[in-house]
């Protein structure tokens, strides 16, 4: 941690973007950077935040690109083709993309949310579904963290997004210190006593990144190593070697982690049966799914749901 360059975070000030969110997120990340310097005994910055106009894009891919909310309706993607193309290129190179409320419409226009879960303000959910029918829109969720793409629902939900990104980039301790200093409730998941799977996306191997992004889509629900190899356009032996070198784990194990991560989400936020959840994440054999879930989380699916389900408040 003491030798790595700072994580670059870009806030996009597109026409109509909410200024309070732009300034608030910049302040939130500044506080987190200060806490991180103390926590890691670092003299230089660990986060560097830049706010750009939609037509003034950096030459290099940042760690994170954030699309803020808007107060006067959704942004118009047709006027921002250059921004969308740049975001797609950055994502291909490992950049995490994030959007708040109406910003999700701009993110959806990149095509990168196709076949993946997302959220937006509940009043806009049906329009998002109509415009982008392949996106799994979940208006009941405040925050959807799909690893390399994050969306949050309301205009004032940017602190939840900021804290989740701080946890990803700097760890849960810095996130908790930042939340405590600013009197913000941390996102619920960050306080749990289990390890969150955070895939490596900054390794620079585009062929492997393409597979990592594909594994988040519905088409990859039951992906085999042969299918992953096909998506990578590499021979299977070459793919296996490069995947492990880039991510630190084998493709099958990586896919298992993603499936269990998705299962945890469904156990927390739905009342779907275990059979249905196993099927949703790509397992026909419920017994095999239970064994995998227990091995990776230390809890059976039933125990996990009892402990972490998000119960409605009365």
């Amino acid at each position: 941690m003491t030798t790595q360059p700072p994580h670059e975070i870009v806030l996009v000030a597109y026409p109509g973007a909410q200024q309070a969110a732009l300034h608030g997120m910049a302040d939130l990340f500044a506080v987190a950077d200060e806490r991180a310097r103390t926590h890691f005994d670092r003299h230089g910055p660990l986060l560097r935040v830049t706010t750009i106009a939609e037509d003034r894009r950096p030459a290099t891919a940042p760690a994170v690109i954030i699309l803020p909310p808007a107060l006067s309706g959704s942004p118009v993607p047709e006027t921002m083709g250059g921004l969308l193309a740049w975001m797609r290129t950055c994502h291909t190179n490992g950049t995490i993309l994030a959007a708040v409320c109406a910003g999700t419409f701009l993110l959806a226009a990149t095509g990168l949310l196709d076949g993946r879960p997302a959220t937006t303000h509940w009043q806009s959910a049906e329009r998002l579904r109509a415009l982008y029918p392949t996106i799994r829109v979940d208006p009941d969720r405040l925050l959807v963290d799909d690893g390399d793409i994050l969306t949050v629902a309301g205009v004032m939900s940017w602190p939840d997004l900021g804290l989740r990104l701080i946890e990803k980039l700097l760890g849960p301790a810095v996130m908790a210190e930042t939340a405590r200093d600013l009197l913000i409730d941390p996102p619920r998941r960050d306080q749990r006593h289990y390890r969150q799977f955070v895939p490596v996306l900054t390794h620079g191997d585009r062929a492997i990144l393409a597979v990592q992004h594909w594994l988040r889509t519905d088409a990859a629900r039951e992906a085999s190593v042969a299918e992953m190899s096909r998506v990578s356009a590499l021979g299977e032996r070459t793919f296996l070697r490069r995947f492990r070198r880039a991510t630190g784990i084998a493709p099958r194990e990586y896919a298992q982690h993603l499936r269990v991560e998705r299962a945890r989400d469904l156990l927390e936020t739905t009342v779907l049966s275990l059979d249905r959840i196993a099927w949703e994440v790509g397992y026909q054999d419920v017994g095999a799914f239970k064994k995998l879930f227990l091995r990776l989380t230390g809890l059976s699916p039933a125990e996990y749901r009892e402990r972490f389900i998000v119960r409605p408040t009365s």
Side-chain angles (χ1 to χ4, degrees), residues 273-286:
S273 70
L274 185 56
D275 285 5
R276 177 60 186 272
I277 289 175
W279 182 85
E280 287 283 348
V281 302
Y283 287 93
Q284 303 290 338
D285 185 340
V286 179

Side-chain angles (χ1 to χ4, degrees), residues 10 77-78 104 131 138 181 204 239 287 289 313:
V10 169
E78 292 77 11
T104 300
L131 289 172
D138 188 347
D181 286 354
F239 166 70
F289 166 70
T313 57

Side-chain angles (χ1 to χ4, degrees), residues 54-241:
E54 56 88 16
D55 59 348
R56 295 289 186 271
R57 298 173 289 277
T60 57
V64 181
I65 298 171
I66 302 176
L67 299 169
L71 291 180
S72 55
S74 303
V76 182
E78 292 77 11
T79 65
M80 303 184 210
L83 173 66
L84 302 182
W86 175 68
M87 289 173 62
R88 285 191 289 267
T89 298
C90 290
H91 185 251
T92 299
N93 287 309
T95 298
I96 295 171
L97 303 181
V100 183
C101 195
T104 300
F105 284 82
L106 197 52
L107 179 54
T110 65
L112 297 172
L113 278 175
D114 292 352
R116 300 180 63 161
T119 191
T120 189
H121 195 283
W122 61 270
Q123 290 180 320
S124 303
E126 287 304 320
R127 189 162 70 88
L128 184 63
R129 283 196 186 101
L131 289 172
Y132 306 99
T134 65
I135 298 175
R136 287 187 269 120
V137 181
D138 188 347
D140 294 330
R141 302 288 301 281
L142 177 65
L143 184 152
V144 172
D145 180 350
D146 201 33
D148 55 331
I149 297 180
L150 295 85
T151 52
V152 289
V155 171
M156 293 304 296
S157 56
W158 56 262
D160 297 88
L161 173 64
L163 290 174
R164 179 59 59 83
L165 289 169
I166 290 166
E167 192 274 339
K168 282 180 175 289
L169 299 175
L170 301 176
V174 173
M175 182 279 297
E177 291 174 24
T178 303
R180 184 167 55 248
D181 286 354
L182 296 176
L183 301 181
I184 304 172
D185 290 333
R188 195 173 84 87
R189 172 173 291 183
D190 295 329
Q191 298 185 74
R192 298 171 186 170
H193 300 294
Y194 61 80
R195 187 175 180 179
Q196 183 184 8
F197 178 57
V198 182
V200 177
L201 300 171
T202 55
H203 45 72
D205 190 327
R206 286 194 173 193
I208 301 306
L209 271 171
V211 176
Q212 290 177 273
H213 296 327
W214 177 73
L215 284 170
R216 292 281 184 176
T217 68
D218 287 340
R221 178 178 289 161
E222 300 180 48
S224 65
V225 171
E227 289 175 298
M228 295 184 220
S229 177
R230 176 184 55 78
V231 171
S232 73
L234 300 170
E236 191 164 315
R237 291 181 64 182
T238 301
F239 166 70
L240 289 169
R241 183 178 68 253

Side-chain angles (χ1 to χ4, degrees), residues 1-2 4 6-7 26 29-49 166 169-171 173-175 177-178 181:
M1 180 64 75
T2 57
Q4 73 175 47
H7 299 286
F29 292 129
V31 172
D33 183 59
E34 183 180 341
R35 297 298 168 267
R37 293 191 204 193
T38 300
H39 187 85
F40 295 110
D41 192 22
R42 165 100 175 229
H43 296 295
L46 285 98
L47 298 178
R48 181 177 290 124
V49 181
I166 290 166
L169 299 175
L170 301 176
V174 173
M175 182 279 297
E177 291 174 24
T178 303
D181 286 354

